[in-house]
Each structure stands twice: as C-alpha cells, then as structure tokens.
Amino acid sequence: MNTGAALRVQLCEIKRQKIILSNEVKPMAKDGTNRGGFRVGAGRKPKAITEKIESGNPGGRPLTVVSLDSQASELQGEDMPPVREYMKSKQKDGSVLYAEEIYNETWEWLKKYGINLTSVGSFGGASVKRIHRPVNAEGKTIAVGSYMIPLLEKACEENDKISIQLETTATTILTDENGKAVGVKAVGATGNEVTVNAKAVILATGGFGANLDMVAELVPALKGFMTTNAAGAQGQGIKMAQALGAATVDMDQIQIHPTVQFDTAALITEGLRGDGAVLINADGKRFIDEVGTRDVVSAAEIAQPGSYSYLVVDQAMLDKSSVIAGYVKRGFVFQGNTYEELAEALGVDAATFAETMNTWNTYVEAKNDPDFGRTSFAQPLNTAPYYAIKVTAGVHHTMGGLVINT
C-alpha cells in the first residue's frame, strides 16, 4: 500500500481516530526513498482576478468567481486543458477550484509540518519548471521522499488520534446491511487477524506497479519489465473495492519511466534531465529530446541497441545535488576525467561520444537543439570529471484505478 499517500490523507483536519494499515515495514519507496520531486501547481500562473462570495452557495461554501483575461490562454498547452474548460470541469456545487489557489493551500499545508520544497526544477514533459524539491543546509538538492515522509510520519506519531500499524495488510472492506463501508479486516505480521471498525474507510493504497503479474495481465507488452515501485504497491485496495462491486477505469494505462538503473531497478530521478543531463546510446549518440514525456522517451530508449542508454552529468551538476552523490556512493556511476575516458569506461566509441558531448554543449550555449528540438537547457556539461549511469525503461506509474464520483 502507498503509506505516503495515507499519511497525507490522515493529517488533513483530523476529527476522529484514524488508523492507517500498511503492509510495508516503513513507508518508503523500493530503494528507500523517492528521489524525484513533489508536483504542485499548474505550471504557469495565468493572470486572473478572483472574487470570493461567501453567500449563495450550498452549505455555506465560498463561491469563487474567476475572471480570465486574454493572456490566460497561454495555459492551453500540454500542461493543462484550455482554461475555461478546465474550470468548468472542476466546478462543484457552484464553486470553482482555481489551480493556483490549490497550489498555495498545498504549499502552506506542507510548511505547517516543517516541509519546505524550495528548489524548483523541470521534469519530463513539462514546459515550465514546476517540480518542487528540498535542499539541505549546503543548498544541494536532496531526495524528496526521505525528506518528506519522515516528517509526515512524525506528525502522525504526535497526533494521538492516529494509529499506524505497519506490516498489517488490509484484505477486506467491511460493510453494513446498506452496503456502506464501516471498517476493514486485515492480517498482521504474525498472521493474526485485525479488525478495524469505523464510520468510513479511506482508500489511499496507491497503484499496482509492483504486482508485475497484474501488470503483464493488463498489458502483455510489459511482461518482463522491472519496476521502480515499493513492494507494497500490489493493488490490494483496488481488489478489495472490486469485491464490493466497484468499477475500474483505465487499468491498462501503465506508465513506464526511462531512467531506471539497469541492474537494480532503482529509480533515477528525471529531475537530472531537467537540470541538464543528456541520454547517450551504446553508439555514443543522443537519440531523443531528453525532457520529452516519459512514454516518448521510454519508447525511443527501448528502440536503441540493447534497449538502454547512459544518463550523463558532469561535476558541476554533482556539486549541486546530493542525489547524484548518493548514486555515486551506491555504485551506480561510471566516471571519467575526459569524455574519451568516460566513453572507454562505458565501452562506447570515444570519438563519437566526445563529438556528441561537444556538439551538445554548443546547443546549450545557443539555446537551440536542431537535432531533437529540446527547449529546456541548463548549463553545458563541460566540467570534469564526467559521470554516467546505465538506465533502461521500467514500470513506474499505474494510472488507472477505481471509478470515483468527484
């Protein structure tokens, strides 16, 4: 189960006792942490005027009236649907949820628990910087999972209305004579049965990305792929709800991630590509806009010789990132004092690799990539030594799940 999601849910305005069941020993990702970033906000801030009207709305909820000027049409790119249609789709009981407002509320909520995500970068497929990440005392980017989850866990432990039971797997949702969910049955670490009675049940169990049999059954083309997911992402929540007659949607929509460490399946954050890294194939050449969407980059990578590539960074990037330093410490990284030396370590043609890197650096300087149309540039990768991580595509995100009514 996705305990991180459960922690976030349970900390929202606790009124009664809440019990979080998790089949994980600790709420972490497969390799101990999420090394990416926390996605909040809509990407751009359209110019808008909002007016809150406290009356004339069911239940006394404030009515938000949003006036959008012509410049708000810039939001009609890949990041969001056209603004007006988006607002209509989020309308409930006469209220309109405005993305920037949601962003601010999320930001303030996280800060309440000591979570400050001050570094903003780009991830694959984003047209603007909108991935928020923490930094350490030295100003270096650090892994968001190992930073945020312990703080959420601490907040839960300090709240006497919350009980966390680890190594406890929920198996059945209990219902009353009217079909209302009133609790769960679970199995503890020793095989003991656990019953939790409640007025309501919140499913915050995540997807099924670690259930590779289920993945392959739904998308046969993914049979044999590795996964970045924690072992708890088995889809139990979906199965428990299906047993009660719940419907599912988009279960075959399973996202793969292009930068999964080739030998261990550890997730290599796509934030590095947003910060300037490039992907080089076994022939020593670039083959795609590295900050394209995950499906596009993954497909291009799978089509390369051996279906893998090398993620290349330099010392300047490492100096700014404790995440990269962590990859070095874990033995994921090849190193060379020159492009040619790194190519030799990778078993790649040195002349071709050096030409590729030198050409890329000129593209960065010119802010123009005539080969693949990349538009996100950071700094040239010209500070020795140079580093590379062998990566391939792996199952990362199951986007389908239970049909909801909100």
Side-chain angles (χ1 to χ4, degrees):
M1 296 183 184
N2 187 335
T3 313
L7 295 179
R8 291 192 291 273
V9 168
Q10 298 305 320
L11 284 169
C12 292
E13 301 302 323
I14 300 297
K15 301 295 184 184
R16 303 178 181 86
Q17 183 172 1
K18 303 294 190 297
I19 298 178
I20 307 170
L21 303 178
S22 172
N23 60 349
E24 299 175 39
V25 176
K26 297 292 282 185
M28 287 291 172
K30 177 177 181 179
D31 64 342
T33 179
N34 176 357
R35 298 182 181 275
F38 191 80
R39 297 170 186 259
V40 289
R44 296 187 178 92
K45 295 183 179 179
K47 292 187 177 180
I49 301 170
T50 62
E51 179 184 3
K52 286 187 178 294
I53 302 175
E54 298 295 339
S55 60
N57 203 26
R61 294 175 59 201
L63 171 69
T64 303
V65 179
V66 182
S67 300
L68 299 166
D69 66 19
S70 59
Q71 295 188 42
S73 63
E74 68 175 1
L75 259 167
Q76 297 182 17
E78 286 187 308
D79 282 347
M80 289 180 63
V83 176
R84 298 182 193 282
E85 286 74 15
Y86 180 78
M87 293 301 180
K88 289 178 183 177
S89 73
K90 295 300 181 185
Q91 201 166 13
K92 294 181 187 177
D93 302 325
S95 291
V96 173
L97 299 177
Y98 176 41
E100 186 175 356
E101 184 178 331
I102 297 170
Y103 162 83
N104 289 331
E105 290 178 1
T106 302
W107 187 258
E108 291 303 318
W109 184 85
L110 289 169
K111 287 170 64 177
K112 182 168 69 174
Y113 296 104
I115 298 169
N116 294 288
L117 308 177
T118 55
S119 172
V120 184
S122 296
F123 268 23
S127 59
V128 294
K129 292 183 177 181
R130 59 188 178 90
I131 300 301
H132 292 244
R133 304 169 296 189
V135 297
N136 62 17
E138 299 175 346
K140 295 183 178 181
T141 302
I142 58 177
V144 67
S146 60
Y147 166 77
M148 185 168 71
I149 296 302
L151 291 172
L152 292 175
E153 189 176 21
K154 178 175 180 289
C156 286
E157 290 171 348
E158 292 174 349
N159 191 317
D160 59 10
K161 295 182 174 67
I162 298 175
S163 171
I164 300 176
Q165 298 185 26
L166 298 175
E167 297 185 81
T168 305
T169 302
T171 58
T172 307
I173 298 173
L174 302 176
T175 58
D176 64 14
E177 62 275 9
N178 298 316
K180 178 184 176 182
V182 293
V184 296
K185 280 189 176 181
V187 177
T190 62
N192 57 303
E193 185 175 286
V194 177
T195 299
V196 178
N197 299 307
K199 294 183 177 180
V201 175
I202 298 173
L203 283 177
T205 57
F208 54 93
N211 189 336
L212 293 177
D213 290 336
M214 190 173 176
V215 167
E217 180 181 345
L218 290 161
V219 184
L222 295 179
K223 183 176 178 61
F225 273 60
M226 59 181 70
T227 180
T228 66
N229 286 204
Q234 295 291 324
Q236 298 107 318
I238 296 172
K239 293 177 180 178
M240 286 189 291
Q242 283 182 302
L244 297 178
T248 59
V249 63
D250 294 333
M251 290 290 284
D252 61 345
Q253 298 302 300
I254 299 174
Q255 187 182 90
I256 55 177
H257 196 292
T259 53
V260 179
Q261 205 277 329
F262 190 85
D263 300 305
T264 65
L267 178 64
I268 306 300
T269 175
E270 63 188 334
L272 298 187
R273 286 176 280 140
D275 292 340
V278 293
L279 292 172
I280 306 295
N281 66 15
D283 294 328
K285 300 177 180 179
R286 291 180 64 229
F287 54 90
I288 191 67
D289 170 5
E290 289 86 353
V291 291
T293 56
R294 291 173 180 170
D295 56 340
V296 171
V297 178
S298 294
E301 183 177 56
I302 291 170
Q304 301 309 302
S307 296
Y308 65 86
S309 66
Y310 294 101
L311 183 75
V312 179
V313 302
D314 69 350
Q315 184 64 42
M317 285 189 65
L318 189 151
D319 288 341
K320 296 177 182 178
S321 173
S322 66
V323 173
I324 301 176
Y327 297 149
V328 174
K329 185 176 181 180
R330 296 172 71 185
F332 294 164
V333 174
F334 296 90
Q335 179 177 339
N337 291 319
T338 64
Y339 295 140
E340 291 81 1
E341 188 175 312
L342 178 57
E344 183 176 345
L346 302 178
V348 172
D349 183 78
T352 303
F353 182 85
E355 180 182 3
T356 296
M357 295 304 299
N358 286 322
T359 299
W360 168 248
N361 290 336
T362 65
Y363 292 171
V364 174
E365 295 287 2
K367 298 293 187 269
N368 179 45
D369 175 14
D371 294 337
F372 302 104
R374 178 168 169 170
T375 58
S376 172
F377 302 96
Q379 299 298 318
L381 297 172
N382 57 8
T383 303
Y386 305 102
Y387 306 90
I389 302 173
K390 188 176 183 179
V391 294
T392 189
V395 172
H396 183 57
H397 182 202
T398 53
M399 294 178 281
L402 300 173
V403 174
I404 60 175
N405 60 356
T406 56

